[in-house]
Amino acid sequence: MPMRAYLRYLVLSLLGFMAITVAFTAFIDPYGWAGAPRVTGLNAMKPEAMRQVWPVKARQVVRAAPRTIVVGNSRVAYGFDPLSPAWPEHMRPVYNYGVEGGRLQDLAPHVRKAMELESVQAVFIGLDFYDFLQGDPRLEQFFNAQNGDAKPYLERVAQILFSNEAVRDSIRTIQRQGDAQPLSLTQQGYGLPGRFDRVWSDFGHYEQFRRIERGTFRQILNLDVSLPDPEDSNALHVLRRMIATAKANDVAVTLFTHPTHAEMFHGLQVAGYAADFVDWKRMILAEAAAQDIPFYDFAHVDADSIEPLPGPGDRETRMRGYWDAGHYKPVTGDRIVRAMTGPTPSRARIGPADLDAIAAANQAALAAYLDANPDSERRLREVMLSAGTIGDS
């Protein structure tokens, strides 16, 4: 065969292979990026979606054209169902812009862009104490590595449609449609909590609590981090820019803190961050008052957060409100939604004058919980002793 004809054949073959690859990955759409039809038993579940969650959510939110966006880390991602009837009709459709491991600093540029969509009328921002800790450059390096989103757009598209990884994930998507505990990402951004179900069925809630506590305290016990003054807070400056973008686009902003199991509050106390936690709330309250926006506080010890923790090896008992010490279930998310959007004022909406009384009540409730659960101290100290440095598995 003449060289010229051979080269043309080679080029056409490569182009044909690329076309087939793109057609296959776009049709299976393993990450939900292309918005292809979801066919039950073929590609309805998206178990590989979290591999490309940042570009996928940035594209999904545009297609969803939501009236309401709820923003945060994995607590939001797995705790708020956008299709729940708890959301008032006038606030639907709702998009869940929660990203596992996503700090406020990482989410902000994406959410600010989403707030410029004409359809968006309201945004609910879930705030996390750990996002406001700073001072150790290793923490920034850790999150930059975890949430790195610096790849150019075209490179992202190529990775999603052309790459060997995309083909592999498309095949895996087909193979995993029958998973008993599906991990998926819905078209409204909600992450089906298959990974929590798997850990629960294999080890039980006790192990789930141990894992999340170990990961959390690995960060704050092995790094030189603290809560800065408000004017030195990087996260607070990021929040202010988000609020400014919302106001410029006539988007109503609501701030809220996350419910947390009493075990996690105990961990903050043991780690020496109890006072910082109250000061963090004071910082947010002052900002909300200055910006004239509502703030709802769900981060306290109450009847829901003292739900009994099943013992080690118990793989039968299912907790009602929590997956682990830091992640709550959609039933708890629905309670938050109703408190923030209901027709009657909620006690969770607080002002600066309420904080000291709330902090004292929280401390008393935690003490009562520890009296009723004496094993908590021993278990938590074992968890902290086992916590390695960032990067350990």
Side-chain angles (χ1 to χ4, degrees), residues 313-377:
D314 183 347
R315 295 183 293 171
E316 300 298 326
T317 305
R318 299 205 71 165
M319 297 183 71
R320 181 177 182 273
Y322 289 87
W323 296 109
D324 55 42
H327 295 91
Y328 46 89
K329 294 184 177 182
V331 65
T332 301
D334 285 350
R335 176 170 62 86
I336 298 172
V337 171
R338 292 189 181 99
M340 294 191 297
T341 64
T344 57
S346 167
R347 288 183 299 172
R349 182 170 180 175
I350 66 173
D354 304 316
L355 185 58
D356 288 336
I358 290 173
N362 194 65
Q363 190 63 30
L366 180 59
Y369 171 80
L370 295 176
D371 285 342
N373 296 271
D375 188 56
S376 176
E377 185 81 19

Coordinates of all heavy atoms in Angstrom, one line a residue, residues 313-377:
G313 N -19.5 -3.9 66.2 CA -19.9 -5.1 65.7 C -21.4 -5.2 65.4 O -21.8 -6.2 64.7
D314 N -22.2 -4.2 65.8 CA -23.6 -4.2 65.5 C -23.8 -3.7 64.1 O -23.7 -2.6 63.8 CB -24.3 -3.3 66.5 CG -25.8 -3.3 66.4 OD1 -26.3 -3.8 65.4 OD2 -26.5 -2.7 67.3
R315 N -24.2 -4.7 63.3 CA -24.5 -4.4 61.9 C -26.0 -4.4 61.5 O -26.4 -4.4 60.4 CB -23.7 -5.3 60.9 CG -22.2 -5.1 61.0 CD -21.5 -6.0 60.1 NE -21.6 -7.5 60.4 CZ -21.2 -8.5 59.6 NH1 -20.7 -8.2 58.5 NH2 -21.4 -9.7 60.0
E316 N -26.8 -4.5 62.6 CA -28.2 -4.6 62.4 C -28.9 -3.3 62.7 O -29.8 -2.9 61.9 CB -28.8 -5.7 63.3 CG -28.2 -7.1 63.0 CD -28.5 -7.6 61.6 OE1 -29.6 -7.2 61.1 OE2 -27.7 -8.3 61.0
T317 N -28.5 -2.6 63.7 CA -29.2 -1.4 64.1 C -28.8 -0.2 63.2 O -27.7 0.0 62.9 CB -28.8 -1.0 65.6 OG1 -29.0 -2.1 66.5 CG2 -29.5 0.2 66.0
R318 N -29.9 0.4 62.7 CA -29.7 1.6 61.8 C -30.1 2.9 62.6 O -31.2 3.0 63.1 CB -30.5 1.5 60.6 CG -30.2 0.2 59.7 CD -30.6 0.4 58.3 NE -29.7 1.4 57.6 CZ -29.6 1.5 56.3 NH1 -30.3 0.8 55.5 NH2 -28.8 2.4 55.8
M319 N -29.2 3.8 62.6 CA -29.5 5.1 63.2 C -30.5 5.9 62.3 O -30.4 5.8 61.1 CB -28.2 5.9 63.4 CG -27.2 5.2 64.4 SD -25.8 6.2 64.8 CE -26.5 7.6 65.8
R320 N -31.3 6.6 62.9 CA -32.4 7.3 62.2 C -31.9 8.6 61.5 O -32.1 8.8 60.4 CB -33.6 7.6 63.1 CG -34.7 8.3 62.4 CD -35.9 8.6 63.3 NE -37.0 9.2 62.6 CZ -37.1 10.5 62.4 NH1 -36.2 11.3 62.9 NH2 -38.2 11.0 61.7
G321 N -31.1 9.4 62.3 CA -30.8 10.7 61.8 C -29.4 10.9 61.3 O -29.1 11.9 60.6
Y322 N -28.5 9.9 61.6 CA -27.0 10.1 61.2 C -26.5 8.9 60.5 O -26.8 7.8 60.9 CB -26.2 10.5 62.5 CG -26.5 11.8 63.1 CD1 -27.6 12.0 64.0 CD2 -25.8 12.9 62.7 CE1 -27.8 13.3 64.5 CE2 -26.0 14.2 63.2 CZ -27.1 14.4 64.1 OH -27.3 15.6 64.5
W323 N -25.5 9.2 59.6 CA -24.7 8.1 59.0 C -23.5 7.9 59.9 O -23.1 6.8 60.1 CB -24.2 8.6 57.6 CG -25.3 8.7 56.6 CD1 -25.7 9.9 56.0 CD2 -26.0 7.7 56.0 NE1 -26.7 9.6 55.1 CE2 -26.9 8.3 55.1 CE3 -26.1 6.3 56.1 CZ2 -27.8 7.6 54.3 CZ3 -27.0 5.6 55.4 CH2 -27.8 6.2 54.5
D324 N -22.9 9.0 60.4 CA -21.8 9.0 61.3 C -21.8 10.2 62.1 O -22.8 11.0 62.1 CB -20.5 8.8 60.5 CG -20.3 9.9 59.4 OD1 -20.5 11.1 59.7 OD2 -19.8 9.5 58.3
A325 N -20.7 10.5 62.8 CA -20.7 11.7 63.7 C -20.9 13.0 63.0 O -21.4 14.0 63.6 CB -19.4 11.7 64.6
G326 N -20.5 13.1 61.8 CA -20.5 14.4 61.1 C -21.5 14.4 59.9 O -21.8 15.5 59.4
H327 N -22.1 13.3 59.5 CA -23.0 13.3 58.3 C -24.4 12.9 58.7 O -24.5 11.8 59.3 CB -22.4 12.4 57.2 CG -21.2 12.8 56.6 ND1 -19.9 12.4 57.1 CD2 -20.9 13.6 55.6 CE1 -19.0 12.9 56.4 NE2 -19.5 13.7 55.5
Y328 N -25.3 13.7 58.4 CA -26.7 13.4 58.8 C -27.5 12.9 57.6 O -27.1 13.1 56.4 CB -27.4 14.6 59.4 CG -27.2 15.9 58.6 CD1 -28.0 16.3 57.6 CD2 -26.2 16.8 59.0 CE1 -27.8 17.5 56.9 CE2 -25.9 18.0 58.3 CZ -26.8 18.3 57.3 OH -26.6 19.5 56.6
K329 N -28.6 12.2 57.8 CA -29.4 11.6 56.8 C -30.4 12.6 56.3 O -30.7 13.6 56.9 CB -30.1 10.3 57.3 CG -29.1 9.2 57.7 CD -29.9 8.0 58.1 CE -28.9 6.8 58.4 NZ -29.6 5.6 58.8
P330 N -31.0 12.3 55.1 CA -32.0 13.2 54.5 C -33.2 13.5 55.5 O -33.8 14.6 55.4 CB -32.5 12.5 53.3 CG -31.3 11.7 52.8 CD -30.7 11.2 54.1
V331 N -33.5 12.6 56.4 CA -34.6 12.9 57.3 C -34.2 14.1 58.2 O -35.1 14.9 58.5 CB -34.9 11.7 58.1 CG1 -33.8 11.3 59.0 CG2 -36.2 11.9 59.0
T332 N -32.9 14.2 58.5 CA -32.5 15.3 59.3 C -32.4 16.6 58.4 O -32.7 17.7 58.8 CB -31.1 15.0 59.9 OG1 -31.2 13.9 60.8 CG2 -30.6 16.2 60.7
G333 N -31.9 16.4 57.2 CA -31.9 17.5 56.2 C -33.3 18.1 56.0 O -33.5 19.3 55.9
D334 N -34.3 17.2 55.9 CA -35.7 17.7 55.8 C -36.1 18.5 57.0 O -36.8 19.6 56.9 CB -36.7 16.5 55.7 CG -36.6 15.8 54.3 OD1 -36.0 16.4 53.4 OD2 -37.2 14.8 54.1
R335 N -35.7 18.1 58.2 CA -36.0 18.9 59.4 C -35.4 20.3 59.3 O -36.0 21.3 59.6 CB -35.5 18.2 60.6 CG -35.6 19.0 61.9 CD -35.3 18.1 63.1 NE -33.9 17.6 63.1 CZ -32.9 18.3 63.7 NH1 -33.1 19.5 64.2 NH2 -31.7 17.8 63.7
I336 N -34.2 20.4 58.7 CA -33.5 21.7 58.5 C -34.3 22.5 57.5 O -34.5 23.7 57.7 CB -32.0 21.5 58.1 CG1 -31.2 20.7 59.1 CG2 -31.4 22.8 57.7 CD1 -29.9 20.3 58.6
V337 N -34.6 21.9 56.4 CA -35.4 22.7 55.4 C -36.7 23.2 55.9 O -37.0 24.4 55.7 CB -35.7 21.7 54.2 CG1 -36.6 22.4 53.2 CG2 -34.4 21.3 53.5
R338 N -37.4 22.4 56.7 CA -38.7 22.9 57.2 C -38.5 24.1 58.2 O -39.2 25.0 58.3 CB -39.4 21.8 57.9 CG -39.9 20.7 56.9 CD -40.9 19.7 57.6 NE -41.3 18.7 56.6 CZ -40.8 17.5 56.5 NH1 -39.8 17.1 57.3 NH2 -41.2 16.6 55.6
A339 N -37.4 24.0 59.0 CA -37.1 25.0 60.0 C -36.7 26.3 59.3 O -37.1 27.4 59.7 CB -35.9 24.6 60.9
M340 N -36.0 26.3 58.1 CA -35.6 27.5 57.4 C -36.6 28.0 56.5 O -36.6 29.2 56.1 CB -34.3 27.2 56.7 CG -33.1 26.8 57.5 SD -31.5 26.8 56.7 CE -31.8 25.5 55.5
T341 N -37.6 27.2 56.0 CA -38.5 27.7 55.0 C -40.0 27.6 55.5 O -40.9 28.0 54.7 CB -38.4 26.8 53.7 OG1 -38.8 25.5 54.1 CG2 -37.0 26.8 53.2
G342 N -40.2 27.2 56.7 CA -41.6 27.1 57.2 C -42.3 28.4 57.4 O -41.6 29.4 57.5
P343 N -43.6 28.4 57.5 CA -44.4 29.6 57.7 C -44.2 30.3 59.1 O -44.5 31.5 59.2 CB -45.8 29.2 57.5 CG -45.8 27.7 57.8 CD -44.5 27.2 57.4
T344 N -43.8 29.5 60.1 CA -43.7 30.0 61.4 C -42.2 30.2 61.8 O -41.4 29.3 61.4 CB -44.4 29.1 62.5 OG1 -43.8 27.8 62.4 CG2 -45.9 29.0 62.2
P345 N -41.8 31.2 62.6 CA -40.4 31.4 62.9 C -39.9 30.1 63.7 O -40.5 29.5 64.5 CB -40.5 32.6 63.8 CG -41.7 33.3 63.5 CD -42.7 32.2 63.1
S346 N -38.6 29.8 63.3 CA -38.0 28.6 64.0 C -37.0 29.1 65.1 O -36.4 30.2 65.0 CB -37.2 27.9 62.9 OG -36.3 26.9 63.5
R347 N -37.0 28.3 66.2 CA -36.0 28.7 67.2 C -34.6 28.6 66.8 O -33.7 29.1 67.4 CB -36.2 27.7 68.4 CG -37.5 28.0 69.2 CD -37.6 27.1 70.4 NE -37.7 25.7 70.0 CZ -37.6 24.6 70.8 NH1 -37.5 24.9 72.1 NH2 -37.7 23.4 70.4
A348 N -34.4 27.9 65.6 CA -33.0 27.7 65.1 C -32.5 29.1 64.5 O -31.3 29.2 64.4 CB -33.0 26.7 64.0
R349 N -33.4 30.0 64.2 CA -32.9 31.3 63.7 C -32.6 32.1 64.9 O -33.4 32.5 65.7 CB -34.0 32.0 62.9 CG -33.5 33.3 62.3 CD -34.5 33.9 61.3 NE -33.9 35.2 60.8 CZ -34.5 35.9 59.8 NH1 -35.6 35.5 59.3 NH2 -33.9 37.0 59.5
I350 N -31.3 32.5 65.0 CA -30.8 33.2 66.2 C -30.1 34.5 65.8 O -29.7 34.7 64.7 CB -29.9 32.3 67.0 CG1 -28.6 32.0 66.2 CG2 -30.5 31.0 67.4 CD1 -27.5 31.3 67.0
G351 N -30.0 35.3 66.8 CA -29.2 36.6 66.7 C -28.1 36.6 67.7 O -27.9 35.7 68.5
P352 N -27.2 37.6 67.6 CA -26.0 37.7 68.5 C -26.3 37.6 70.0 O -25.6 37.0 70.7 CB -25.4 39.1 68.1 CG -25.9 39.3 66.7 CD -27.2 38.7 66.6
A353 N -27.5 38.1 70.4 CA -27.8 38.2 71.8 C -28.2 36.8 72.3 O -28.2 36.5 73.5 CB -29.0 39.1 72.0
D354 N -28.4 35.8 71.4 CA -28.8 34.5 71.8 C -27.7 33.6 72.1 O -27.8 32.5 72.7 CB -29.7 33.8 70.8 CG -30.9 34.7 70.4 OD1 -31.6 35.2 71.4 OD2 -31.3 34.8 69.2
L355 N -26.5 33.9 71.6 CA -25.4 32.9 71.5 C -24.9 32.4 72.9 O -24.7 31.2 73.1 CB -24.2 33.5 70.7 CG -23.1 32.5 70.5 CD1 -23.6 31.3 69.8 CD2 -22.0 33.2 69.7
D356 N -24.7 33.3 73.8 CA -24.1 32.9 75.1 C -25.1 31.9 75.8 O -24.6 30.9 76.4 CB -23.9 34.1 76.0 CG -22.7 34.9 75.5 OD1 -21.8 34.4 74.8 OD2 -22.7 36.1 75.8
A357 N -26.4 32.2 75.8 CA -27.3 31.2 76.4 C -27.3 29.9 75.7 O -27.4 28.8 76.3 CB -28.7 31.9 76.4
I358 N -27.2 29.9 74.4 CA -27.2 28.7 73.6 C -25.9 27.9 73.9 O -26.0 26.7 74.1 CB -27.3 29.0 72.1 CG1 -28.7 29.5 71.7 CG2 -26.9 27.8 71.2 CD1 -28.8 30.0 70.3
A359 N -24.8 28.6 74.0 CA -23.5 27.9 74.3 C -23.6 27.2 75.7 O -23.1 26.1 75.9 CB -22.4 28.9 74.2
A360 N -24.2 27.9 76.7 CA -24.3 27.4 78.0 C -25.2 26.1 78.0 O -24.9 25.1 78.7 CB -24.8 28.4 79.0
A361 N -26.3 26.2 77.3 CA -27.2 25.1 77.2 C -26.6 23.9 76.5 O -26.8 22.8 76.9 CB -28.5 25.5 76.5
N362 N -25.8 24.2 75.5 CA -25.1 23.2 74.8 C -24.1 22.4 75.6 O -24.0 21.2 75.6 CB -24.4 23.8 73.5 CG -24.0 22.7 72.5 OD1 -24.8 22.1 71.9 ND2 -22.7 22.6 72.4
Q363 N -23.4 23.2 76.4 CA -22.4 22.6 77.3 C -23.1 21.7 78.4 O -22.6 20.6 78.7 CB -21.6 23.7 78.0 CG -20.4 23.2 78.8 CD -19.4 22.5 77.9 OE1 -19.2 22.8 76.7 NE2 -18.6 21.5 78.4
A364 N -24.2 22.2 78.9 CA -24.9 21.4 79.9 C -25.5 20.1 79.3 O -25.5 19.0 79.9 CB -26.1 22.2 80.5
A365 N -26.0 20.2 78.0 CA -26.6 19.0 77.4 C -25.5 18.0 77.0 O -25.7 16.8 77.1 CB -27.3 19.5 76.1
L366 N -24.3 18.5 76.7 CA -23.2 17.6 76.4 C -22.8 16.9 77.7 O -22.5 15.7 77.6 CB -22.0 18.4 75.8 CG -20.8 17.5 75.4 CD1 -21.2 16.4 74.4 CD2 -19.7 18.4 74.9
A367 N -22.7 17.6 78.8 CA -22.3 17.0 80.0 C -23.3 15.9 80.4 O -22.9 14.8 80.9 CB -22.3 18.0 81.1
A368 N -24.6 16.2 80.2 CA -25.6 15.2 80.5 C -25.5 13.9 79.6 O -25.6 12.8 80.0 CB -27.0 15.8 80.3
Y369 N -25.1 14.2 78.3 CA -24.9 13.1 77.4 C -23.7 12.2 77.9 O -23.8 11.0 77.8 CB -24.7 13.6 76.0 CG -24.3 12.5 75.0 CD1 -25.2 11.7 74.4 CD2 -22.9 12.3 74.7 CE1 -24.8 10.7 73.5 CE2 -22.5 11.4 73.8 CZ -23.5 10.5 73.2 OH -23.1 9.5 72.3
L370 N -22.7 12.8 78.3 CA -21.5 12.1 78.7 C -21.7 11.3 80.0 O -21.2 10.2 80.2 CB -20.3 13.0 78.9 CG -19.8 13.7 77.6 CD1 -18.7 14.7 77.9 CD2 -19.3 12.7 76.5
D371 N -22.5 11.9 80.9 CA -22.9 11.2 82.1 C -23.7 9.9 81.7 O -23.5 8.8 82.4 CB -23.7 12.0 83.0 CG -22.9 13.1 83.7 OD1 -21.7 13.0 83.7 OD2 -23.5 14.1 84.2
A372 N -24.5 10.0 80.7 CA -25.4 8.9 80.3 C -24.6 7.9 79.4 O -25.0 6.7 79.3 CB -26.6 9.3 79.6
N373 N -23.4 8.3 78.9 CA -22.7 7.5 78.0 C -21.2 7.5 78.4 O -20.3 8.0 77.7 CB -22.8 8.0 76.5 CG -24.2 7.9 76.0 OD1 -24.6 6.8 75.5 ND2 -25.0 8.9 76.2
P374 N -20.9 6.9 79.5 CA -19.5 6.9 80.1 C -18.4 6.3 79.2 O -17.3 6.7 79.3 CB -19.6 6.2 81.4 CG -20.8 5.3 81.2 CD -21.8 6.1 80.4
D375 N -18.9 5.4 78.3 CA -17.9 4.8 77.4 C -17.4 5.8 76.3 O -16.4 5.5 75.6 CB -18.5 3.6 76.7 CG -17.5 2.8 75.9 OD1 -16.5 2.4 76.5 OD2 -17.7 2.6 74.7
S376 N -18.1 6.9 76.1 CA -17.7 7.8 75.0 C -16.3 8.4 75.2 O -15.6 8.5 74.2 CB -18.8 9.0 75.0 OG -18.4 10.0 74.1
E377 N -16.0 8.7 76.5 CA -14.6 9.3 76.7 C -13.5 8.3 76.3 O -12.6 8.7 75.6 CB -14.5 9.6 78.2 CG -13.2 10.3 78.6 CD -13.3 11.8 78.3 OE1 -14.4 12.4 78.2 OE2 -12.2 12.5 78.2

